[in-house]
Amino acid sequence: MQTGIKKLWAPWRMTYISKLSGKEEGCIFCSKPKQQNDKDNLILYRGKTAFIIMNLYPYNNGHCMVIPYKHTSDFTDLTDEEMLELMQLAKLTIKVFKKVFNPEGFNTGFNLGRAAGAGISQHIHLHVLPRWVGDTNFMPVIGETRVIGEHIFDTYDKLKKVFDEETKA
């Protein structure tokens, strides 16, 4: 008997589920920029005091984070120079999103501390997400599943091209 329920195959989610039980050692926001494989690490841009990286487990297609190189969980530890670059890189990210995705809005913000929802609370990071009217539905609420419409490396390639164009010297 057909119930009308359709299957949504998302095999890449197993990577996330598997990692929940075996957390990486150390801080990924410190280790990733020390490596030289930006595409594998989803790093889109490197600045003087901060960098832009795509969220490997995004809330929405294109979800990026602007992260200071300095390892701190205390917002007041950031220098004025670091704060300025965080905001400049958030602005750059929004500019690139407008060109690549033409979103209808944006979510930006810090989750400072585990109680505030920070998944990685030991290293400050600024979330920047493109949004569209109707981009959320019943899936996250009822099915505890997010539907991301494009493979993360396809999104990376689109964004990286425009980040490179926007930051040419």
Side-chain angles (χ1 to χ4, degrees):
M1 180 169 130
Q2 183 74 6
T3 63
I5 296 175
K6 294 183 170 56
K7 292 179 182 168
L8 175 64
W9 294 98
W12 56 89
R13 293 288 298 162
M14 189 49 74
T15 303
Y16 175 71
I17 293 165
S18 298
K19 284 192 176 196
L20 287 177
S21 60
K23 291 278 187 184
E24 282 186 40
E25 291 294 317
C27 175
I28 63 166
F29 294 155
C30 290
S31 65
K32 298 296 182 190
K34 290 177 183 172
Q35 301 170 17
Q36 296 304 314
N37 50 344
D38 284 358
K39 184 170 184 175
D40 288 342
N41 289 324
L42 301 172
I43 295 174
L44 291 163
Y45 179 79
R46 294 171 178 265
K48 181 179 176 189
T49 67
F51 64 102
I52 302 167
I53 189 170
M54 291 177 64
N55 191 325
L56 182 58
Y57 308 110
Y59 294 120
N60 208 348
N61 195 54
H63 180 173
C64 289
M65 296 173 289
V66 182
I67 305 171
Y69 294 116
K70 179 190 286 182
H71 181 83
T72 184
S73 62
D74 187 344
F75 195 75
T76 62
D77 283 347
L78 297 174
T79 66
D80 289 347
E81 179 185 22
E82 290 164 332
M83 290 296 295
L84 176 60
E85 188 168 31
L86 284 174
M87 292 301 109
Q88 289 170 329
L89 294 183
K91 179 180 176 181
L92 172 62
T93 302
I94 289 171
K95 185 177 183 181
V96 169
F97 282 165
K98 285 180 176 183
K99 287 187 173 190
V100 174
F101 297 128
N102 194 30
E104 297 169 295
F106 302 91
N107 286 124
T108 62
F110 295 94
N111 298 325
L112 302 175
R114 186 150 314 275
I120 299 176
S121 59
Q122 72 272 20
H123 196 131
I124 288 173
H125 50 284
L126 171 60
H127 294 268
V128 184
L129 292 83
R131 299 302 304 266
W132 298 266
V133 173
D135 67 4
T136 59
N137 56 29
F138 69 93
M139 289 294 287
V141 177
I142 296 172
E144 296 182 2
T145 302
R146 290 202 181 271
V147 179
I148 307 296
E150 181 175 61
H151 192 280
I152 197 162
F153 286 116
D154 293 337
T155 304
Y156 177 91
D157 290 339
K158 288 177 184 176
L159 291 173
K160 181 68 172 143
K161 179 178 184 263
V162 180
F163 269 103
D164 290 348
E165 290 169 2
E166 290 295 324
T167 58
K168 281 184 188 171

